[in-house]
Amino acid sequence: MRASRTPRTALVAAGVTAALGVSAAGAVALPSSPAGDVASAGHTTAHSTAQRVHVKTVKLADKVSTAKVYKTGKYRYEAEIWAKGVKYGTLYTNGKAAPPAHAQNNGLHVTLHPDGKVTSRVERAKPQPVVKRVLVADGRAAYGQNNGLHVTLQPDGQLASWVAP
């Protein structure tokens, strides 16, 4: 016969609640000694929101956008991407050994490195669609030329083409 799961579920729930209660109580407890206050203050700033210090503003490759770089801790930087007064996003680095943070928007690629350096590039433009040109020989020869290719359409429908040297 199969045992009921209710007692096992109740024990697991009680264990999880106790573990969370102990960790929460430890996080709230503050030491009363002056040396303990200094240690807790340093510990608190490492895990709380650090004060941002503006480091530099970088003009990006599209010549319209800028990146405002802030230092938030040792080897921790933030870069806000702005264009025409609108904030488009924020990049974050998380330590010296962390990989660079990348972002892309409409062909603009921005990278924030762990040392606070910002690099950017713009994708190359895609080739323009080919414009079709129509030659009409209305009783006389029609001529056309594009990138060194010459074309002649005679009134009788004969087509001749050559490439200029």
Side-chain angles (χ1 to χ4, degrees):
M1 181 174 202
R2 190 170 170 172
S4 174
R5 290 186 184 171
T6 305
R8 184 178 57 187
T9 305
L11 285 173
V12 170
V16 169
T17 303
L20 289 176
V22 169
S23 66
V28 175
L30 294 174
S32 60
S33 68
D37 290 341
V38 173
S40 68
H43 180 67
T44 306
T45 57
H47 293 296
S48 66
T49 305
Q51 221 177 22
R52 295 186 336 162
V53 177
H54 184 263
V55 177
K56 59 188 167 185
T57 301
V58 179
K59 189 100 169 155
L60 300 179
D62 66 350
K63 309 250 190 282
V64 175
S65 305
T66 58
K68 294 181 181 180
V69 181
Y70 298 92
K71 186 168 186 170
T72 58
K74 188 174 182 180
Y75 301 114
R76 296 180 190 277
Y77 292 89
E78 294 180 6
E80 293 179 347
I81 310 302
W82 291 82
K84 297 180 181 178
V86 177
K87 182 179 170 184
Y88 283 92
T90 305
L91 296 171
Y92 303 93
T93 60
N94 200 12
K96 187 175 184 177
H102 301 282
Q104 185 268 337
N105 184 26
N106 270 350
L108 174 65
H109 295 261
V110 182
T111 303
L112 175 62
H113 299 274
D115 61 354
K117 180 181 173 185
V118 175
T119 57
S120 65
R121 67 178 177 89
V122 178
E123 287 181 4
R124 291 184 181 180
K126 295 191 166 110
Q128 296 294 324
V130 176
V131 178
K132 294 183 179 179
R133 297 183 184 170
V134 178
L135 291 177
V136 178
D138 190 23
R140 56 188 170 92
Y143 298 97
Q145 182 267 342
N146 186 22
N147 289 337
L149 175 67
H150 297 267
V151 179
T152 302
L153 177 63
Q154 298 297 329
D156 62 354
Q158 290 184 354
L159 186 67
S161 64
W162 67 96
V163 177

